[in-house]
Amino acid sequence: MGRSLDVLVFGLSGRVDGLAEQLGRLALNCRIVRADSPPARRHHYWAGGVILAECENDIDDGLRAFARFSDQALPILVVGPAGLAPRDTVDAWLRDPAPAVQIAARLRALFRLHAMEIVAARRAEVTALYGRGRPQVDRQDTPPSILYVGDASPRFMGLQHVLEQAGADVVAAFSSYSAFDYLHERPFDAVVLNATGKREIAFTISSAMRRNARLYHTPVVLLADRVDAQTSDEAFARGVSDILEPSAGDAELRERILTLTEERKRRRQAKAALDACRDPRTLDIETGLFNSGFLVSHIQDLLNVSARDELSFALIALQIMLPEGRERPDDASAEKARRQFAAMLRHLLRTEDAAARFSSDVFLAVLPFTDAPGIDCVASRIAAIAECTAFESEDPLHPFRLTVRAAPVPVRTGETAETLVERAIRALQSPAQIVAQA
């Protein structure tokens, strides 16, 4: 969404500055943390942290430094040798040296997951006031499911052995055709691509998965016969999550793959928790969006936790306008178009976002952890999709289009939800609003 994330970086002084500069070029604003640094200023939400580690002491010092910088539990990524960062201590780790583009991609994924989990917890609290108590979500205790794609090889046999010893279910697909058959039949927690001698095929599969909404968040791990700068850059540009070098031992392979499968399961769990909040008492049945009363309550809860510096969010106000004159549709067609727009809006927002209809043509959407550039990006995407839509009128040969007006609404300290909603609706009349012809 065009969002610029703030990242804390701790590690050896000779390496931190260079990494911070590289991450800065990838829209990650980095603040360097020293073990003896004073606490950071409050009222700032950090997206996560990176620890550059050579030994256990580096990890311990980094975790203590991050704890002094923020009251929140940050997603932590360790970059260092294998075996230094057990999965119960940090969120993820990458083998050193990891390219900046991989570090940036992993941090964004961890931050998005962290945001989903926080918002799911808050939304469940509000849903309990409207529904039949706090929504219940079954824990996913099934073994990790991993799809291996590529030629059978001694490396595959070793990988299968160590993963099955850890309780994982490994399915082998020895061609790209059978791989996609498996991917469409059942969900997997990770996909391992054997790129030995067939790098382009592996890259094509990874790219295809990133273009598929259902497979987009499934981690992709590359078994490489060599790792150089060109291979790394292209792999991560194609959506690869991690590259397993030929020198990686069995224990390292197991840990790196299972770390990604656990992250995938956490994402599914967070999404299920958010979906469970779609109780009939919280929804507007006609649009499929939340009802306005629930959204106001949700906004107030987010304002409360924002005051404690636990998260940040913004609003976007949207107004759809009908064509005038001879092009104006009849009332029934106009209302049908508004409901179609509501359905589009729900699917154009992220899982952790929430939207409601406040009048016949005005909608508000809550965007957690989103800054001004991110809000503008959301508005542009909604307008662009609507621009391609022709809505049916009473005369099927003469469809009509809508005009979408959007106004970004940042949150102000001390506001109530009702005040914020009123200001958001008034913002639609401001000259600074975004207007897009759909």
Side-chain angles (χ1 to χ4, degrees):
M1 289 191 176
R3 176 170 38 194
S4 180
L5 302 183
D6 297 310
V7 180
L8 302 173
V9 182
F10 170 86
L12 305 177
S13 58
R15 298 166 58 204
V16 166
D17 294 327
L19 176 61
E21 181 181 351
Q22 294 174 59
L23 293 178
R25 291 196 291 267
L26 296 168
L28 293 174
N29 298 322
C30 297
R31 177 166 182 174
I32 296 175
V33 184
R34 310 296 180 192
D36 56 353
S37 297
R41 64 182 177 87
R42 290 185 58 80
H43 305 300
H44 186 94
Y45 191 89
W46 300 98
V50 182
I51 299 175
L52 299 177
E54 286 191 346
C55 61
E56 292 285 358
N57 289 341
D58 288 337
I59 298 177
D60 294 338
D61 290 345
L63 292 173
R64 283 194 292 269
F66 289 143
R68 290 198 298 273
F69 265 72
S70 175
D71 294 335
Q72 294 78 49
L74 299 175
I76 301 294
L77 173 67
V78 170
V79 180
L84 282 187
R87 282 177 279 133
D88 58 352
T89 303
V90 299
D91 291 272
W93 70 273
L94 297 174
R95 194 182 203 194
D96 192 28
V101 64
Q102 183 185 19
I103 295 173
R106 296 292 291 119
L107 278 173
R108 290 182 185 280
L110 289 171
F111 174 66
R112 173 77 189 280
L113 173 59
H114 188 59
M116 289 176 67
E117 291 175 334
I118 290 177
V119 174
R122 298 315 319 161
R123 194 172 297 170
E125 292 292 333
V126 180
T127 303
L129 303 176
Y130 282 77
R132 302 180 181 88
R134 188 181 177 89
Q136 299 298 314
V137 180
D138 294 334
R139 298 295 304 177
Q140 298 180 0
D141 296 325
T142 56
S145 180
I146 299 159
L147 177 65
Y148 170 89
V149 183
D151 295 337
S153 66
R155 201 175 185 197
F156 160 66
M157 299 301 293
L159 183 67
Q160 183 183 41
H161 177 69
V162 297
L163 288 174
E164 289 183 344
Q165 275 192 326
D169 175 26
V170 181
V171 176
F174 299 122
S175 73
S176 58
Y177 298 104
S178 58
F180 279 104
D181 285 342
Y182 279 121
L183 287 169
H184 290 300
E185 287 174 2
R186 54 178 286 194
F188 287 91
D189 299 312
V191 174
V192 178
L193 302 177
N194 185 356
T196 303
K198 295 184 177 181
R199 189 177 65 177
E200 289 305 317
I201 294 177
F203 286 166
T204 299
I205 294 172
S206 180
S207 297
M209 290 179 62
R210 296 301 175 243
R211 291 193 299 269
N212 185 300
R214 191 175 62 82
L215 302 175
Y216 181 84
H217 292 293
T218 303
V220 175
V221 182
L222 205 68
L223 286 177
D225 51 356
R226 70 179 190 281
V227 180
D228 51 36
Q230 181 179 358
T231 301
S232 295
D233 289 346
E234 186 171 2
F236 297 121
R238 299 288 194 100
V240 169
S241 307
D242 200 1
I243 301 177
L244 299 180
E245 302 84 352
S247 59
D250 288 349
E252 182 180 349
L253 296 180
R254 181 186 65 241
E255 290 303 305
R256 288 168 71 172
I257 293 174
L258 292 183
T259 295
L260 288 168
T261 64
E262 287 186 5
E263 183 180 326
R264 180 67 178 127
K265 286 192 170 188
R266 283 175 58 193
R267 182 178 294 277
R268 285 201 184 100
Q269 192 73 23
K271 185 178 185 304
L274 288 165
D275 288 341
C277 295
R278 293 181 55 79
D279 185 280
R281 292 174 175 81
T282 69
L283 297 178
D284 175 8
I285 303 303
E286 292 181 346
T287 64
L289 302 176
F290 290 108
N291 63 53
S292 59
F294 176 83
L295 193 68
V296 171
S297 299
H298 187 31
I299 291 171
Q300 186 61 61
D301 182 74
L302 295 180
L303 286 170
N304 295 341
V305 295
S306 294
R308 300 196 298 266
D309 202 28
E310 295 178 17
L311 58 75
S312 64
F313 73 98
L315 258 66
I316 183 169
L318 300 162
Q319 184 176 19
I320 55 176
M321 295 175 290
L322 301 170
E324 296 297 336
R326 297 178 59 186
E327 299 295 323
R328 187 175 181 85
D330 61 284
D331 292 345
S333 298
E335 178 58 20
K336 182 179 178 182
R338 294 185 186 107
R339 294 181 185 179
Q340 284 181 283
F341 175 82
M344 290 168 53
L345 177 61
R346 179 190 162 200
H347 293 290
L348 288 172
L349 297 174
R350 302 166 303 183
T351 307
E352 63 267 33
D353 299 332
R357 184 180 183 182
F358 277 76
S359 68
S360 64
D361 59 355
V362 172
F363 300 79
L364 294 185
V366 179
L367 308 176
F369 302 103
T370 305
D371 54 13
I375 297 172
D376 293 342
C377 185
V378 173
S380 298
R381 184 171 71 247
I382 292 171
I385 297 298
E387 183 178 311
C388 303
T389 304
F391 297 91
E392 289 185 5
S393 65
E394 191 174 29
D395 181 355
L397 298 179
H398 292 85
F400 64 94
R401 297 180 183 275
L402 302 174
T403 299
V404 180
R405 177 182 287 168
V409 187
V411 176
R412 295 175 183 170
T413 304
E415 275 187 314
T416 64
E418 290 79 4
T419 303
L420 178 56
V421 168
E422 290 174 4
R423 182 163 60 84
I425 294 173
R426 288 198 307 271
L428 288 169
Q429 310 307 319
S430 168
Q433 65 202 353
I434 304 167
V435 179
Q437 180 67 40

